[in-house]
Amino acid sequence: MKDTMILHDGTVIELETGASLRDIRVVAPDRAAMAATWAKLTPENLAVVQVKNEAGLTAGNYTDLVLDDETSKVAADGTVITSYRLRPKTDLERLEERVGAVETGQDVQDGAINDLGTVVGEIAGEVMV
């Protein structure tokens, strides 16, 4: 059994030994399998990540990771060895997310206030008639 990385959606990725957050090594049987693994490393799936050792014990729990880059090499037998470099989000990246969430919430609130104003205006028009 190998070390594993479990993503937020429950995807389990087998890791090569000696992996670290800055060098997550994965062996895929072919390019398509490598691309499928890479596609799973989304911001949503990297929001909560757990790494377990080969004994199944939790070696690390991580939140808010970012995929910096990846490097792949195709072996003679067609397998693909990929090194994914992950890191925690910076304070600036977290701040940008919070500002984006506030702006989205404000847009929703503005729309609700506008709708409420329209309804109140219609009710007032009916009362005055």
Side-chain angles (χ1 to χ4, degrees):
M1 186 164 174
K2 294 185 175 188
D3 291 356
T4 56
M5 179 171 65
I6 300 106
L7 305 178
H8 183 66
D9 72 351
T11 299
V12 177
I13 300 172
E14 285 191 351
L15 307 177
E16 293 303 298
T17 57
S20 71
L21 216 58
R22 294 294 300 157
D23 189 17
I24 300 285
R25 293 185 185 195
V26 178
V27 175
D30 55 37
R31 291 178 187 194
M34 176 272 176
T37 299
W38 189 6
K40 286 290 193 170
L41 300 178
T42 63
E44 294 79 19
N45 275 340
L46 294 175
V48 177
V49 175
Q50 183 178 57
V51 175
K52 291 188 175 187
N53 65 19
E54 48 189 50
L57 302 173
T58 300
N61 289 305
Y62 305 96
T63 58
D64 296 326
L65 296 178
V66 173
L67 173 62
D68 263 344
D69 64 61
E70 65 77 35
T71 304
S72 296
K73 181 178 179 181
V74 180
D77 64 358
T79 59
V80 181
I81 303 163
T82 304
S83 177
Y84 298 100
R85 281 171 274 300
L86 304 177
R87 64 168 174 77
K89 286 182 183 175
T90 64
D91 290 340
L92 180 58
E93 288 168 325
R94 286 189 181 106
L95 179 61
E96 288 170 348
E97 283 181 351
R98 287 195 302 265
V99 168
V102 167
E103 288 174 348
T104 299
Q106 186 64 48
D107 290 343
V108 170
Q109 187 177 20
D110 289 349
I113 290 169
N114 187 36
D115 292 346
L116 182 59
T118 300
V119 170
V120 168
E122 289 173 0
I123 293 171
E126 290 175 10
V127 170
M128 296 185 80
V129 175

